[in-house]
Amino acid sequence: MYRFLLSPRWLGALALTLVAAAVMVFLGNWQLDRYRGRTEVNERIDAGLRMAPVPLANALRAPTGGAGTAGPAPAEDKVWTRVTVTGRYDPTNTVLVRGRTVDSRVGFEVLTPLVLADGTALLVDRGWIPPAPGGATAQPSVPAAPTADVTVVGRVHETESGAGAVARRDGLLEIRRIGVPRLAGELPYPVYGAYLLLDEQTPAADPVFKAVPVGHANNWQNFGYVVQWWLFAVMAIFGYGWVARREARRAAGIGSTPASLDRAAEPTPTASA
């Protein structure tokens, strides 16, 4: 009944079906890996909010190069670690990160190097401020940083990709994305290979700054893709089986009405007048 499946046509269809199903399973597994990776990131973000701060050295290795160089990037499991560190801000090398959105408003994030006792520096994201009147790119008035020693508590944030060029406007550095290695080249000291997203500061930060929110990765979207691709793989194999069964039933005459019965059921032609 199913011997037709051994014909070249049906063997070719089976091969295409199995290849398509294998590709769909592979894509589902890939999305599953992404789901797990994003879930781990979300868990680290949540853990960073809850944990007590640790010394900076517990999360980041100090830079060992000369001025204008960046240190090593943090290990994956150290990103979002909450740390505490003491130093002095260097407001002469403040960085404005333009085009940043908080509460549906476009403005600037302000990064100021925190120079440590050993002469190295850590870029601290002090928060978000709105632009000056005149548009989203109008340079704001940056609140003054404390001039004495300051102790900050924040979470380690890895460098961002696609930083683009660094410009200096009215004495301040400007950049589109927080690319630590790119910014390090503009600074007169070695810089840590990540920046700090400020949570607390002693003495207290200026109230003009708004905390930069941290968004969680949409891991459930990836989980939905996992289900989708695996379901497509099952549907492909099921579809092949369904078509093969229909072909076998057709060849065996199962489910079809004999032609003689069809003709008997037809109405008798009426003689024309």
Side-chain angles (χ1 to χ4, degrees), residues 52-130:
V54 299
L56 178 64
N58 288 23
L60 280 173
R61 286 186 291 163
T64 56
T69 62
E76 186 177 0
D77 62 346
K78 297 300 183 182
V79 176
W80 300 113
T81 298
R82 202 160 184 248
V83 302
T84 181
V85 60
T86 298
R88 289 199 175 195
Y89 280 127
D90 175 16
T92 61
N93 286 296
T94 292
V95 180
L96 293 178
V97 189
R98 58 184 179 272
R100 311 292 273 205
T101 302
V102 171
D103 295 336
S104 301
R105 295 184 63 193
V106 179
F108 295 82
E109 288 179 36
V110 179
L111 273 71
T112 304
L114 185 71
V115 183
L116 312 186
D118 62 1
T120 62
L122 173 68
L123 288 171
V124 177
D125 190 332
R126 296 163 61 198
W128 180 94
I129 58 175

Side-chain angles (χ1 to χ4, degrees), residues 84-212:
T84 181
V85 60
T86 298
R88 289 199 175 195
Y89 280 127
D90 175 16
T92 61
N93 286 296
T94 292
V95 180
L96 293 178
V97 189
R98 58 184 179 272
R100 311 292 273 205
T101 302
V102 171
D103 295 336
S104 301
R105 295 184 63 193
V106 179
F108 295 82
E109 288 179 36
V110 179
L111 273 71
T112 304
L114 185 71
V115 183
L116 312 186
D118 62 1
T120 62
L122 173 68
L123 288 171
V124 177
D125 190 332
R126 296 163 61 198
W128 180 94
I129 58 175
T137 60
Q139 192 176 83
S141 176
V142 179
T147 55
D149 283 354
V150 60
T151 297
V152 299
V153 174
R155 284 161 290 162
V156 173
H157 197 303
E158 60 190 342
T159 186
E160 298 177 355
S161 60
V166 182
R168 188 176 284 274
R169 181 162 61 116
D170 296 333
L172 299 176
L173 295 169
E174 283 194 17
I175 198 168
R176 179 66 181 84
R177 305 272 291 170
I178 306 175
V180 174
R182 183 65 59 87
L183 289 169
E186 305 291 327
L187 301 175
Y189 25 65
V191 178
Y192 278 81
Y195 69 97
L196 202 66
L197 198 60
L198 184 66
D199 289 334
E200 304 169 20
Q201 178 181 295
T202 305
D206 193 296
V208 170
F209 287 108
K210 285 191 175 183
V212 177

Side-chain angles (χ1 to χ4, degrees), residues 26-42 217-223 225-226:
F26 170 80
L27 291 173
N29 289 339
W30 174 60
Q31 288 293 341
L32 182 60
D33 287 341
R34 297 200 64 189
Y35 166 76
R36 289 170 175 163
R38 288 185 167 186
T39 299
E40 289 175 1
V41 171
N42 290 341
N218 188 2
N219 55 335
W220 287 107
Q221 182 183 48
N222 297 103
F223 187 78
Y225 289 147
V226 172

